Amino acid sequence: VAYRGAQVVDAAAGRTTAVRVDLPMGSANLNAVPWAEVYVDDQKVGETPIASLSLALGPHRVVFRNPRLGEQQFDITVTLASPVRLSVDLRK
């Protein structure tokens, strides 16, 4: 994921200066039929539908779990271009 930003830094000659970079966040809309618990990068984020979930830019693993229908896993990449939209049918 490419990100370009600008920041002014005062650095003394011959010294090392630490610079904190605050990356913007992207978002994802996640849904499943029927409902499912949703985990992103092994962290439970809620039950579907989930709208405008704020996520760091870059790759993520999304897992949908339903007690009757098992689970399905997907790899997504969050960018600034547009929200990730992922909708799955767990009956298939």
Side-chain angles (χ1 to χ4, degrees), residues 3-20:
Y3 170 73
R4 182 177 283 195
Q7 190 169 355
V8 176
V9 178
D10 288 326
R15 309 243 8 224
T16 300
T17 301
V19 177
R20 180 183 163 147

Side-chain angles (χ1 to χ4, degrees), residues 6 9 18 22 31-32 39 43 47 54 64 67 73 79 82 85 91-92:
V9 178
D22 292 320
N31 199 12
Y39 295 78
Q43 299 293 315
E47 294 182 357
S54 184
F64 294 90
Q73 300 181 23
T79 68
S82 63
R85 297 188 196 305
R91 300 170 294 184
K92 295 181 180 181

Side-chain angles (χ1 to χ4, degrees), residues 11-90:
R15 309 243 8 224
T16 300
T17 301
V19 177
R20 180 183 163 147
V21 177
D22 292 320
L23 295 175
M25 300 291 276
S27 66
N29 298 311
L30 309 170
N31 199 12
V33 174
W35 72 273
E37 293 178 333
V38 180
Y39 295 78
V40 176
D41 302 328
D42 298 321
Q43 299 293 315
K44 185 175 179 179
V45 296
E47 294 182 357
T48 58
I50 297 175
S52 299
L53 176 65
S54 184
L55 292 172
L57 300 180
H60 297 278
R61 168 67 51 102
V62 179
V63 178
F64 294 90
R65 290 187 183 143
N66 179 286
R68 291 185 304 113
L69 300 171
E71 72 177 40
Q72 291 186 24
Q73 300 181 23
F74 300 87
D75 292 319
I76 63 170
T77 301
V78 176
T79 68
L80 291 176
S82 63
V84 172
R85 297 188 196 305
L86 179 57
S87 184
V88 300
D89 188 337
L90 295 173

